[in-house]
């Protein structure tokens, strides 16, 4: 039986390589068919397929040969057993297939409109699943071999080895000078302007008073506003904002230099460290972060710091808790993650609980007589301190609690899609329950598949707990009745997380916002005459970079999420269970993004994953024993 299977493996691989090549070259809009094709099912499928293949037969043939050679290389490198990986890749391919339909018109109708379309779906699904599997296997082989380039010695190399934190810190800080100058006095997006308006209680004619609420993290609101307030005291709000940008550049340089230092301590390959450094220096996801007063940037640095300290906890064991420096950085990471984004608690609380369980299990296995309270206090006291600081800010500034609508973005989006597609099945009682929470009458018209803001912004602030409970009963009943509607709503909003073939992110980094001019005039923040023009050039350059070869994939959220998922599969196959302790904050962040208002066009929500992945990957290298000097 095994001999027969081995004989069939090669031709089967050739067929799958052909299917994968066709999937890469396939477009899904249904083409205009001839009359003969419309009258014949077989001709319909063949002509539809022919007209849907982009490029020439030569191009698809080259793809087929290259992919078949990739399969042969994988087999030659080692016949490994992957059980979970093909299942994950098939699930990803299914999301890719749905994304092909959503890219067209936010529905799946273009995938199922005829026999020819169904044939294309089968080819795409099988080909993409096989392609993802082969690419992930090749990536695992590449990692397991410990492939790297040689690093010749010299004075610069020797100096770097003695100062592997200082060197990247100075280099990254030096690279910040030009973006800081071009972005003067600093970037403020809509959220930042809202926060400044809340702090300074700016009056807008059309909105009335900016009410200081915890909709945005109060600690971050106070953090950015204090810099601006200090500048106003010294005579220039612009200088205060620019001082904030300089401070953020220092934080940015320090955290990423610490990450590179840690990667070297873990023995990460030189190519990975060099690639990460280049990405930090040139990727728009990195070079725009410190020039904008954005809560996601500081929060993402905090998550990265927390992940680094998790690595050191595992690496140093009991010695970690004797290091005052590490304990201080751990406390800083925990507190900043909680304080600088409201959903930071969904990362920290599960991780602290997990670490406490791990500590307890290790203590029981070690059969020691006494249990050290120091690690417990080092984990719990920063959580307590962060909550005390938050409570103090809420009390001192009389901050009102924000709406629960942010946490319910995904259920609201699912309900809106249900009303749009199955509105004729909504009963009068269900409609009343939804109307108590949301604007039921306009829900179908307001629904935008890629973002839930239009739906959640109509949340009724006077809704009671009973209203919410009634809504959730309706939400659950409708989901059980038509679960695929909820699946479509979720995938339609979040497919950019794993679908790398859609490019459309834009990073706008400017000071003034036309919707917040009253706030700008009141606070005193202005644009310097020549700077907006220079900053626009910088923005366009950064946005163009995201479409170029090599840099483009590194500016695609899906690249990072796919690598993270593959690493998780490798760790499970190799039984490297400790991998998941530093990886779990990234997985929790991924779950938060899925439940968030939307990821399309807003890559900042995925920054915790993007920034921390190289360190997590380095930890995986250290577990597999492929360390480098």
């Amino acid at each position: 039986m095994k001999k027969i299977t081995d004989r069939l493996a090669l031709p089967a691989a050739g067929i799958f390589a052909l299917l994968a090549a066709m999937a890469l070259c396939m477009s899904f809009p249904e083409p205009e068919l001839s009359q003969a094709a419309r009258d014949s099912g077989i001709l319909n499928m063949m002509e539809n397929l022919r007209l849907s293949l982009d490029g020439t037969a030569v191009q698809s043939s080259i793809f087929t040969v290259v992919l078949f050679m990739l399969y042969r290389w994988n087999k030659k490198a080692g016949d490994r057993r992957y059980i979970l990986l093909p299942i994950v890749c098939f699930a990803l391919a299914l999301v890719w297939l749905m994304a092909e339909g959503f890219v067209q018109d936010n529905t799946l109708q273009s995938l199922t409109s005829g026999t020819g379309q169904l044939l294309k779906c089968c080819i795409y699904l099988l080909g993409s699943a096989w392609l993802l599997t082969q690419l992930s296997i090749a990536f695992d082989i590449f990692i397991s071999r410990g492939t790297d380039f040689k690093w010749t010695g010299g004075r610069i190399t020797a100096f770097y080895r003695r100062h592997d934190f200082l060197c990247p810190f100075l280099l990254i800080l030096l690279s910040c000078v030009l973006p800081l100058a071009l972005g003067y006095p600093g970037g403020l997006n809509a959220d930042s302007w809202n926060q400044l308006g809340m702090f300074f209680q700016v009056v807008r004619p059309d909105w009335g008073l900016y009410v200081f609420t915890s909709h945005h993290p109060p600690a971050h609101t106070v953090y950015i506003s204090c810099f601006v307030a200090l500048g106003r005291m010294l005579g220039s709000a612009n200088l205060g904002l620019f001082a904030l940008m300089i401070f953020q550049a220092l934080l940015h340089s320090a955290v990423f230099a610490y990450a590179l230092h840690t990667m070297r301590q873990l023995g990460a390959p030189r190519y990975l460290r060099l690639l990460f450094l280049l990405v930090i220096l040139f990727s728009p996801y990195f070079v725009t972060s410190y020039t904008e007063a954005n809560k996601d940037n500081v929060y993402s640095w905090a998550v990265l710091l927390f992940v680094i300290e998790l690595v050191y906890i595992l690496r140093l064991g009991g010695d970690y808790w004797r290091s005052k420096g590490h304990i201080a950085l751990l406390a800083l990471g925990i507190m900043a993650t909680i304080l600088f984004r409201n959903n930071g608690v969904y990362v920290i609380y599960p991780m602290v609980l997990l670490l406490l369980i791990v500590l307890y299990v290790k203590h029981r296995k070690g059969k020691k007589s006494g249990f050290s309270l120091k690690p417990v206090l080092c984990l719990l006291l920063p959580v307590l301190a962060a909550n005390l600081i938050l409570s103090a800010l809420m009390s001192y500034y009389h901050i009102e609690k924000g709406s629960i609508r942010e946490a319910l973005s995904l259920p609201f989006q699912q309900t809106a899609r249900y009303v749009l597609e199955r509105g004729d099945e909504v009963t009068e009682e269900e409609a009343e329950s939804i109307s108590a929470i949301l604007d039921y009458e306009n829900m179908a018209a307001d629904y935008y598949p890629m973002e839930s803001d239009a739906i959640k912004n109509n949340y009724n602030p006077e809704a009671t707990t009973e209203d919410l409970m009634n809504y959730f009963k309706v939400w659950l009943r409708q989901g059980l009745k038509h679960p695929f509607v909820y699946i479509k709503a979720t995938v339609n909003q979040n497919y950019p997380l794993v679908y790398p073939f859609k490019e459309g992110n834009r990073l706008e980094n400017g000071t003034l916002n036309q919707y917040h001019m009253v706030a700008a005039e009141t606070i005193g923040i202005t644009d310097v005459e020549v700077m907006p023009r220079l900053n626009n050039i910088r923005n366009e350059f950064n946005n163009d970079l995201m479409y170029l070869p090599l840099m483009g994939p590194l500016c695609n959220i899906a690249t990072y999420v796919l690598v993270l998922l593959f690493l998780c599969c490798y760790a499970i196959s190799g039984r490297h269970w400790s991998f998941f302790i530093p990886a779990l904050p990234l997985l929790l962040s991924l779950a938060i993004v899925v439940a968030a208002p939307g990821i399309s066009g807003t890559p900042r929500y995925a920054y915790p994953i993007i920034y921390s992945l190289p360190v997590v990957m380095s930890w995986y290298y250290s577990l597999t024993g492929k360390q480098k000097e």
Side-chain angles (χ1 to χ4, degrees):
M1 187 67 181
K2 187 176 184 303
K3 290 183 178 180
I4 297 175
T5 305
D6 291 340
R7 289 177 182 176
L8 292 176
L10 204 60
I15 294 172
F16 276 107
L18 176 61
L19 295 177
M22 294 172 71
L24 289 172
C25 298
M26 188 179 292
S27 62
F28 269 91
E30 188 170 10
E32 186 67 30
L33 303 178
S34 65
Q35 185 60 47
R38 288 196 292 269
D39 295 337
S40 170
I42 296 178
L43 286 179
N44 182 302
M45 291 189 290
M46 296 303 296
E47 186 170 321
N48 188 332
L49 183 60
R50 175 176 62 83
L51 295 176
S52 299
L53 293 177
D54 297 328
T56 66
V58 173
Q59 289 173 310
S60 57
S61 299
I62 292 173
F63 279 141
T64 303
V65 172
V66 170
L67 293 174
F68 183 75
M69 291 173 63
L70 175 65
Y71 166 80
R72 294 285 291 169
W73 184 81
N74 286 345
K75 293 293 289 183
K76 186 177 180 181
D79 192 7
R80 303 176 181 216
R81 296 194 174 204
Y82 296 94
I83 299 175
L84 180 62
L85 196 59
I87 297 173
V88 171
C89 290
F90 185 84
L92 290 171
L94 189 58
V95 174
W96 281 17
L97 177 60
M98 296 176 70
E100 291 290 347
F102 292 142
V103 166
Q104 305 303 320
D105 55 7
N106 290 310
T107 72
L108 300 181
Q109 294 177 2
S110 61
L111 304 183
T112 59
S113 57
T115 55
Q117 294 296 97
L118 291 173
L119 174 64
K120 286 158 59 177
C121 288
C122 293
I123 292 173
Y124 187 92
L125 181 60
L126 294 175
S128 297
W130 185 86
L131 173 65
L132 280 164
T133 303
Q134 295 306 314
L135 289 175
S136 58
I137 291 173
F139 186 47
D140 186 28
I141 294 171
F142 177 79
I143 292 176
S144 63
R145 284 186 170 183
T147 307
D148 203 3
F149 62 84
K150 292 184 179 180
W151 197 321
T152 55
R155 291 184 178 180
I156 296 178
T157 302
F159 183 80
Y160 162 72
R161 288 175 176 171
R162 291 196 304 271
H163 308 282
D164 59 358
F165 171 83
L166 181 63
C167 287
F169 172 77
L170 293 176
L171 184 59
I172 296 170
L173 187 61
L174 182 63
S175 73
C176 296
V177 174
L178 183 60
L180 284 172
L182 295 179
Y184 180 88
L188 292 167
N189 65 3
D191 287 350
S192 306
W193 274 116
N194 279 327
Q195 291 173 266
L196 290 175
M198 289 177 182
F199 185 86
F200 291 102
Q201 296 291 288
V202 177
V203 176
R204 283 191 53 174
D206 52 338
W207 283 9
L209 187 69
Y210 281 96
V211 179
F212 202 162
T213 73
S214 60
H215 172 78
H216 300 293
H220 186 264
T221 299
V222 174
Y223 155 72
I224 64 172
S225 300
C226 282
F227 275 93
V228 176
L230 178 61
R232 282 160 54 94
M233 289 174 57
L234 298 175
S236 173
N238 276 12
L239 286 178
L241 181 60
F242 189 60
L244 171 64
M245 300 302 114
I246 294 174
F247 179 70
Q248 291 192 157
L250 290 168
L251 287 179
H252 165 88
S253 303
V255 174
F256 285 115
Y258 187 37
L260 288 163
H261 163 79
T262 302
M263 291 169 68
R264 181 168 182 261
Q265 295 295 311
L266 292 172
R270 302 178 190 95
Y271 83 84
L272 182 60
R273 285 181 274 154
L274 180 60
L275 178 63
F276 188 36
L277 177 61
L278 293 175
V279 168
I280 294 168
L281 296 178
F282 299 108
S283 170
Y285 285 176
F286 290 76
V287 300
T288 60
S289 63
Y290 52 86
T291 59
E292 186 173 59
N294 193 309
K295 60 191 175 188
D296 297 280
N297 303 331
V298 186
Y299 168 75
S300 301
W301 299 333
V303 173
L304 172 56
L305 180 60
F306 179 61
V307 168
I308 293 172
E309 292 308 313
L310 290 176
V311 168
Y312 280 114
I313 289 174
L314 295 170
R315 190 166 184 263
L316 300 179
D319 292 337
Y320 180 89
W321 308 106
R322 288 187 282 272
S323 171
K324 294 180 180 179
H326 279 304
I327 291 173
L329 291 174
L330 176 65
L332 181 61
I334 290 174
M335 294 172 62
T337 302
I338 293 174
L339 290 172
F340 284 105
R341 225 185 189 290
N342 292 333
N343 52 27
V345 295
Y346 302 120
V347 172
I348 294 299
Y349 288 0
M351 290 306 306
V352 168
L353 178 60
L354 175 62
L355 289 173
L356 292 175
I357 293 172
V358 169
L359 288 171
Y360 177 74
V361 171
K362 289 185 69 175
H363 169 72
R364 290 294 300 270
K365 285 185 176 180
K367 297 180 180 180
K368 296 178 181 178
S369 57
F371 181 69
S372 175
L373 287 177
K374 187 174 182 180
V376 176
L377 293 175
C378 290
L379 292 170
L380 293 182
L381 286 180
V383 175
L384 177 62
N387 282 280
L388 288 175
I389 291 172
L390 181 58
S391 296
L393 291 175
M394 295 284 288
S395 175
Y396 183 80
Y397 290 103
H398 307 290
I399 303 172
E400 298 181 10
K401 287 188 176 181
S403 172
I404 196 175
R405 69 184 188 183
E406 296 299 319
L408 302 178
S409 294
L410 186 59
F412 289 168
Q413 191 78 331
Q414 292 168 336
T415 297
R417 183 120 190 180
Y418 189 97
V419 173
L420 176 67
E421 295 188 3
R422 302 284 178 172
D424 56 335
E425 299 181 26
V426 178
T427 66
E428 186 175 340
E429 181 185 355
E430 290 175 340
E432 289 179 359
S433 297
I434 297 172
S435 296
I437 299 295
L438 301 165
D439 183 6
Y440 176 79
E441 295 298 326
N442 297 308
M443 183 173 284
D446 291 341
Y447 174 66
Y448 175 56
M450 300 300 294
E451 188 179 277
S452 67
D453 284 350
I455 302 299
K456 71 179 177 64
N457 286 345
N458 289 322
Y459 176 77
N460 178 14
E462 298 180 0
T464 64
T465 303
E466 184 180 355
D467 291 332
L468 279 171
M469 294 303 297
N470 291 334
Y471 164 74
F472 278 119
K473 291 176 183 177
V474 172
W475 172 79
L476 181 60
R477 184 162 60 246
Q478 291 178 340
L480 293 174
K481 188 176 181 181
H482 294 292
F484 192 54
V485 174
Y486 284 13
I487 293 172
K488 285 190 290 184
T490 305
V491 175
N492 201 162
Q493 180 177 293
N494 292 293
Y495 70 81
L497 287 170
V498 295
Y499 180 74
F501 304 111
K502 182 181 179 182
E503 298 171 335
N505 286 324
R506 283 189 64 82
L507 299 173
E508 299 298 339
N509 192 278
T511 302
L512 296 186
N513 185 305
Q514 60 177 326
Y515 300 107
H516 299 271
M517 292 305 296
V518 173
E521 292 172 3
T522 304
I523 297 170
I525 294 176
T526 60
D527 262 333
V528 180
E529 185 175 350
V530 71
M531 300 316 296
R533 188 182 307 167
L534 295 174
N535 194 51
N536 286 338
I537 295 174
R538 178 175 74 102
N539 283 334
E540 289 306 314
F541 176 76
N542 286 330
N543 286 317
D544 289 342
L545 278 180
M546 293 194 288
Y547 292 86
L548 297 179
L550 300 180
M551 180 58 76
L554 296 175
C555 295
N556 194 309
I557 298 168
T559 301
Y560 298 88
V561 175
L562 290 173
V563 170
L564 174 62
L565 295 177
F566 291 157
L567 288 173
C568 290
C569 292
Y570 306 154
I572 292 173
S573 297
R575 299 179 182 273
H576 300 301
W577 305 116
S578 62
F579 166 80
F580 288 96
I581 291 182
L584 189 55
L586 280 67
L587 295 173
L588 291 170
S589 298
L590 180 59
I592 291 169
V593 173
V594 171
I599 187 63
S600 179
T602 50
R604 57 192 174 92
Y605 294 152
Y607 282 176
I609 301 170
I610 295 171
Y611 292 174
S612 300
L613 183 63
V615 173
V616 172
M617 189 172 173
S618 300
W619 174 241
Y620 179 77
Y621 264 102
S622 72
L623 293 176
T624 57
K626 302 299 179 183
Q627 298 93 340
K628 298 285 180 179
E629 167 53 36

